[in-house]
Amino acid sequence: MKKFLLAMVAALMVAGTAFAGSNSGTLDVGVAYGNISVISKANNQTHSDIGGWGFTVGYYEPLIPFLGIQANGFLVFPGSDGISFTTNGVTAKNTNYNNQVPFVFSGDLMVALNIPIAIFYIRAGAGIGYTLYDTKDYSSEIFVHQFSIPIFAAVGINLGLFGVKAGCDIQFVFSQQQVENGNSRDAKLNDKDYINVFPYICASFKF
């Protein structure tokens, strides 16, 4: 009986190791650009933008063949130079250096379709997203909280334990709250679209 139980434990350990090896996750680390846009529904050539470069960290966990979970995080630093205003297609950069956005943090959790093609793969999916950024001027500081439906597409090269991946997350914001001096208010206007775009390129590590 003891030998049988030891054999069962050994078999389960081997099976578990094989399963974990065949379903190992992938960590992505790289650079990203983030752009937060508020677009007029009446005229899409009129919009405001907050954009900057930063970093991204992502993780893909396979669930079943061709399907998994993708989590992406972004941290970008627009500063004051990353703020712009476009009216009827004419863009003006922010010239008030006291008006700035020190950082934008964003995270997405998505169900992902994974299609391998030889050493390449294509991934795409959708899920739920959250974005936080801080706006400052002379006299006030406002924290903006956004909830969104993100979609993403990415292509990559799988070289065993290492690879390269490039992709883009697009967030369609459905809720925006602004917090100033401890007071929160709904800041999403019905006559505007709120769309965030995060293109990125990164190295991938499988483990």
Side-chain angles (χ1 to χ4, degrees), residues 108-190:
D108 298 332
L109 182 64
M110 298 167 287
V111 176
L113 182 67
N114 182 65
I115 304 172
I117 307 171
I119 65 170
F120 302 96
Y121 61 84
I122 300 172
R123 288 185 191 144
I128 190 74
Y130 169 75
T131 297
L132 167 68
Y133 63 92
D134 177 15
T135 65
K136 294 181 178 181
D137 59 22
Y138 289 105
S139 59
S140 65
E141 182 174 17
I142 300 173
F143 290 94
V144 180
H145 303 264
Q146 296 179 331
F147 292 92
S148 62
I149 297 175
I151 61 174
F152 90 100
V155 295
I157 302 175
N158 184 2
L159 302 174
L161 297 178
F162 175 78
V164 179
K165 175 182 172 184
C168 185
D169 287 21
I170 303 175
Q171 301 173 343
F172 299 93
V173 177
F174 61 82
S175 174
Q176 176 168 296
Q177 298 288 321
Q178 288 187 356
V179 179
E180 183 178 6
N181 297 323
N183 299 314
S184 177
R185 67 180 183 89
D186 186 355
K188 188 176 184 297
L189 303 176
N190 292 329

Side-chain angles (χ1 to χ4, degrees), residues 13-83:
M13 290 178 64
V14 171
T17 303
F19 179 82
S22 63
N23 291 274
S24 57
T26 304
L27 178 68
D28 306 316
V29 180
V31 296
Y33 185 85
N35 194 79
I36 312 299
S37 295
V38 180
I39 306 168
S40 169
K41 290 183 178 180
N43 178 6
N44 61 13
Q45 293 191 38
T46 297
H47 51 88
S48 63
D49 297 275
I50 299 170
W53 287 95
F55 309 98
T56 181
V57 176
Y59 182 77
Y60 174 77
E61 179 68 25
L63 299 176
I64 58 175
F66 306 109
L67 191 68
I69 297 294
Q70 178 73 49
N72 291 335
F74 304 94
L75 182 62
V76 299
F77 308 97
S80 59
D81 295 334
I83 303 173

Side-chain angles (χ1 to χ4, degrees), residues 82-107:
I83 303 173
S84 64
F85 308 93
T86 301
T87 304
N88 295 322
V90 178
T91 299
K93 286 285 189 179
N94 173 50
T95 57
N96 178 6
Y97 291 100
N98 291 292
N99 181 19
Q100 59 176 296
V101 177
F103 73 91
V104 175
F105 167 78
S106 186

